[in-house]
Amino acid sequence: MISFFQMMKGRNLVNAIGIPCWLFLIWKGGLYYTIFMLISCVLALGEFYSIMEKKGAEPLRWLGMGSTVFIADYYYVQPILTTHQMLGIIIFIVIITSFLELFSGNKNPSLNIASTFAGILFVPVLLGTSIDIRQYDLLMGTNLTFALVISVWACDSAAFIFGTSFGTKKIMPSISPKKSWVGSISGLIASLLVFYFFQKQGLLGSFFEMKDAMVIGLICGVIGQLGDFTESMLKRDVGIKDSSSLLAGHGGVLDRFDSLIFAFPSAYLYIHFFTRF
């Protein structure tokens, strides 16, 4: 018989500790959740830059990390900036990055600049929207952050279970050879069911209607899975299986957040551009 201590190793240990802690921090919200997401963004950005380095790039890591702190703070305090102020910050980052690369003497300067910007856009700009959505929950009395995270988990679990058991026709075998249409559709249904449950139980507050819940469920079930494929594409391009070995049995932080990196900002766009908010 397998003992408890034998079970609580590797992937199972990460699940036993990580999942409750993540849910607790979502529940706490505020600065606690923001710091957690900031650390996650920094670690994920570091992994992204490591992937780029395997392609011969030398991204300016410290500039990317510094930008991550600024972006997380922006999403947290939600300041009212003018268009000129926003453009001014972007212009400053572009100029300072270009000048630093100019005097660095590194090879492949174009690739270095491009990878530095790509990391900032791919990780903190996209994943940082989770901080904004948690602040939105606080203001509007919703549990959207919980719903987004749980729906992505449900999507991944259903896709794995049904895809492994019944999936034969693959979606993108050249990028992710194990993922099938059966698994993908099962994941989409699971994502929609999570949002249906949240809406029926009143957990999304009075702001969202059922159609809103279903649209965001579609976002998690479709865009989230495409995010998973996107990260798989980046890893396959450099010939690696995981973004890092930080999380035993789970790969890296980028691997754990790959679906949410696209689901959160897509939900963010829907909330701020297509609802009554």
Side-chain angles (χ1 to χ4, degrees):
M1 180 179 292
I2 300 176
S3 69
F4 173 78
F5 294 102
Q6 288 176 312
M7 292 177 60
M8 287 296 102
K9 293 195 302 187
R11 186 182 183 92
N12 291 334
L13 181 61
V14 172
N15 286 336
I17 297 175
I19 292 175
C21 287
W22 191 355
L23 294 176
F24 172 76
L25 288 168
I26 294 174
W27 174 73
K28 286 291 289 183
L31 190 59
Y32 298 95
Y33 179 73
T34 300
I35 291 174
F36 166 70
M37 290 309 305
L38 170 59
I39 294 171
S40 299
C41 284
V42 166
L43 293 173
L45 181 59
E47 293 170 358
F48 181 90
Y49 283 154
S50 294
I51 292 174
M52 293 298 101
E53 286 170 351
K54 293 182 184 299
K55 296 294 290 183
E58 295 181 63
L60 298 172
R61 283 177 173 262
W62 69 268
L63 184 65
M65 302 306 176
S67 299
T68 300
V69 175
F70 167 78
I71 292 166
D73 177 69
Y74 172 80
Y75 281 130
Y76 175 61
V77 300
Q78 299 177 339
I80 300 175
L81 297 180
T82 67
T83 303
H84 291 302
Q85 289 171 326
M86 285 289 294
L87 288 175
I89 293 168
I90 295 171
I91 289 169
F92 174 78
I93 292 174
V94 172
I95 290 175
I96 197 68
T97 302
S98 302
F99 285 172
L100 286 170
E101 188 62 34
L102 174 66
F103 293 104
S104 69
N106 293 331
K107 297 180 181 179
N108 304 315
S110 300
L111 184 59
N112 299 339
I113 292 173
S115 62
T116 300
F117 291 149
I120 294 171
L121 294 172
F122 192 84
V123 181
V125 169
L126 294 185
L127 187 56
T129 54
S130 64
I131 299 171
D132 178 279
I133 290 176
R134 183 60 186 87
Q135 294 295 89
Y136 169 87
D137 285 342
L138 179 64
L139 293 171
M140 305 301 291
T142 73
N143 289 283
L144 183 57
T145 306
F146 273 120
L148 283 163
V149 171
I150 293 172
S151 69
V152 167
W153 286 349
C155 180
D156 288 345
S157 299
F160 175 77
I161 293 170
F162 288 95
T164 302
S165 302
F166 308 106
T168 55
K169 188 173 179 58
K170 307 303 180 182
I171 302 177
M172 295 182 180
S174 62
I175 293 177
S176 190
K178 293 183 179 180
K179 290 183 171 61
S180 66
W181 281 104
V182 169
S184 181
I185 294 171
S186 300
L188 172 59
I189 293 171
S191 180
L192 289 169
L193 287 174
V194 168
F195 270 92
Y196 178 82
F197 172 81
F198 267 74
Q199 173 64 22
K200 291 295 288 185
Q201 297 301 314
L203 297 173
L204 295 181
S206 59
F207 181 77
F208 289 106
E209 300 175 358
M210 181 58 75
K211 67 176 180 63
D212 299 312
M214 292 297 96
V215 169
I216 302 177
L218 279 171
I219 286 172
C220 291
V222 176
I223 304 298
Q225 291 191 64
L226 290 175
D228 191 343
F229 279 112
T230 300
E231 203 231 348
S232 295
M233 174 185 67
L234 295 177
K235 292 187 294 184
R236 186 164 291 272
D237 186 42
V238 298
I240 59 174
K241 182 178 183 294
D242 298 317
S243 60
S244 79
S245 58
L246 180 64
L247 304 175
H250 287 272
V253 177
L254 198 60
D255 295 317
R256 291 304 89 207
F257 282 95
D258 52 5
S259 297
L260 289 168
I261 283 176
F262 286 83
F264 270 123
S266 299
Y268 170 91
L269 291 175
Y270 180 76
I271 291 168
H272 291 287
F273 290 94
F274 297 101
T275 67
R276 302 187 304 272
F277 180 70

